[in-house]
Amino acid sequence: MSPLILACGLVAPAWASAQILVGSTVQVYQAPALDPMTMPTAVAAGPSGQVWVADGVSDRVLEFDASGGLVRSIEAVAGQPLSNPTAVAADEAGRLWIADSDHARVVWLGPGPGDQGELPIDLALLPGLDLTGVGVSPDGDLLWLVDNEQHRVLRGEVDAGIWAVMGSYGEGLGQLRHPFMVGVDDDGGAWVSDAIGARIVGWSAEGEARRPIGRFGVQPGQVFRPKGVAVQGDRVWVSDSTLGVIQAFSPGGKLLDVLRDEQGRILHLEGPTGLAVRGDRLFVVELTAHRVTELSIGTKVGQPYEAPVASVIGAEGTENQACSMCHLEMIPALSRGAADLLTSLPPNPKSEPYVSTEGACLSCHDGSVMDSRKAVWAMHGHPLGEPIPDDMTVPDHLPLVDGAMACRTCHSAHTEGGSGQVHRDALMVRVEDDIEELCVACHGDMQKGGGK
Ligand code: HEC
Ligand code: HEC
Ligand code: HEC
Ligand code: HEC
């Protein structure tokens, strides 16, 4: 080797060979305008270009072809209609696995045209199973299921029918606080998004707990509402629906980069939730845009984002996680407007604090903590943002936003004296005793005897 070349190698700055991760939109997958998807949660990508999307609010899974065309709507499997299918996963044989949540069952379809069945799980041993995630090893032998309500995951050897339960409520190794989705690595190991725990909790294929990835916050390498997980080689992709970003970590927990747009800026998506990866393509469910976006992933020479050292040992903001998990605006770095954050401070006017906006509620009520998509977003049915009719008087204790109804008109927080600080019981309806009070407050004529 000539001394000249050697010298060049020595003086080259360390970042010259460093690479950033860039995502470019290839196409979007949407249902026809007359029958659109409603807050879909999960996506799976099959070996022959199939793309499946869990459209649970409409009780169906949609199948698209590689060019984005809708192939079919899967509404029943193994002799029973689907009821809120929340998650989908595909193995290398092209078999599709569906978590049929409201029936607490797991069903499969394909790869042959008539192949389908229901996984035999002994539900008597798993009362209250609340399925929000399903993942499968590439060879189809190992299945991972997420039980959100009971803060645990199930690892199943499909052919042998052997199931093991892992995880329990908490913040320790292998513990969970509302686990939501799961990504499976090439060996069959699992990485699970922990929505309230704000980290990614892992197990090896054999079921040994791994050191978690990420922690609560809004800086690179941190997560606020981790949702989708997809694993490919040494990259663990994680979406965050509130921050609107996707980050890639090594299985050891090192931030590889925050996904960028073609200009090298952080790529922001609309409520990114479920993820799937195949080849150089990343499929992202954009829940609030009711679609899936296919990104082509490439690298460019550049300076990848690095997690701040503090985020490894006691991140700023972690100590007030109990409050800032709802009050995003209470995260110190955000309120100071520090540079290099994954997002900026959302609008937070006194008339409608960020914490009681629709998006803030949805960040937990999208199924990751509680699934209210149907109850609230498909059926609540109150005209929000529209002027109140002249013949209706809204009492002062029900605050309007710019003269119109908003979530905070009927919902409040921390009203029960000192209690109600825990997220479980902080939120409530603005009434003293029962719900009817609320209705009568505006609809005087709902009262017995009518009139006001
Ligand atoms: C489950 C979500 C949630 C959690 C957890 C939570 N809050 Fe709130 N908080 C709310 C909502 C919703 C409101 C109502 C805002 C409105 O008036 O529309 C609110 C209102 C408030 C207000 C009134 C001022 C304002 O911003 O509107 C204060 C102060 C407050 N919270 C402090 C706290 C503190 C301190 C903690 C932690 C101990 C906490 N909250 C935890 C949801 C939450
Ligand atoms: C940090 C997560 C989180 C956020 C943000 C959040 N919630 Fe909740 N919510 C919960 C949890 C947890 C429960 C209790 C679920 C249970 O008991 O199983 C709950 C329960 C509720 C309930 C009672 C439902 C029932 O049937 O028990 C209402 C009403 C509610 N939330 C409204 C809201 C509103 C309105 C917002 C936005 C202002 C909001 N929530 C934001 C986590 C959250
Ligand atoms: C007109 C009054 C009103 C408005 C406006 C309103 N809600 Fe509700 N909401 C209710 C009532 C009443 C319930 C039932 C509460 C209960 O049973 O404890 C409820 C329940 C909920 C629940 C719990 C649903 C579940 O799965 O059990 C959530 C979450 C929620 N609302 C969110 C919202 C959000 C987000 C908005 C704004 C987009 C909103 N609400 C606007 C009255 C209202
Ligand atoms: C903050 C005021 C407010 C509260 C509280 C409220 N409503 Fe309403 N409600 C409205 C407005 C405004 C409309 C739309 C205008 C109208 O239909 O008069 C509406 C419409 C409705 C409608 C549809 C009526 C129609 O003709 O389409 C029903 C049903 C209804 N409300 C039931 C309820 C129930 C049940 C509750 C209690 C859980 C409730 N409302 C609480 C303001 C309110």
Side-chain angles (χ1 to χ4, degrees), residues 176-193:
L176 301 157
R177 293 189 288 160
H178 285 288
F180 184 34
M181 295 184 149
V182 55
V184 177
D185 68 22
D186 297 341
D187 300 328
W191 288 104
V192 176
S193 57

Side-chain angles (χ1 to χ4, degrees), residues 148-221:
N148 177 272
E149 184 90 32
Q150 293 170 89
H151 318 286
R152 60 190 185 185
V153 297
L154 310 176
R155 171 192 176 278
E157 294 169 34
V158 177
D159 290 334
I162 299 172
W163 288 87
V165 177
M166 9 214 111
S168 57
Y169 187 83
E171 296 162 53
L173 189 69
Q175 288 191 308
L176 301 157
R177 293 189 288 160
H178 285 288
F180 184 34
M181 295 184 149
V182 55
V184 177
D185 68 22
D186 297 341
D187 300 328
W191 288 104
V192 176
S193 57
D194 194 19
I196 295 293
R199 56 189 196 160
I200 315 302
V201 176
W203 283 272
S204 71
E206 292 71 36
E208 238 167 89
R210 291 164 157 167
R211 206 179 126 223
I213 293 174
R215 60 186 303 146
F216 183 78
V218 297
Q219 292 170 284

Side-chain angles (χ1 to χ4, degrees), residues 125-142:
L125 298 175
L126 301 164
L129 186 64
D130 177 31
L131 289 172
T132 56
V134 60
V136 64
S137 60
D139 60 15
D141 289 347
L142 258 191

Side-chain angles (χ1 to χ4, degrees), residues 274-318:
L275 297 176
V277 62
R278 178 164 291 278
D280 68 346
R281 299 299 161 85
L282 186 66
F283 299 83
V284 186
V285 173
E286 290 184 280
L287 183 140
T288 45
H290 316 287
R291 67 179 180 215
V292 168
T293 294
E294 177 179 348
L295 300 169
S296 149
I297 302 297
T299 55
K300 272 190 192 163
V301 172
Q303 183 60 50
Y305 278 95
E306 279 175 33
V309 178
S311 80
V312 183
I313 30 161
E316 184 188 31
T318 304

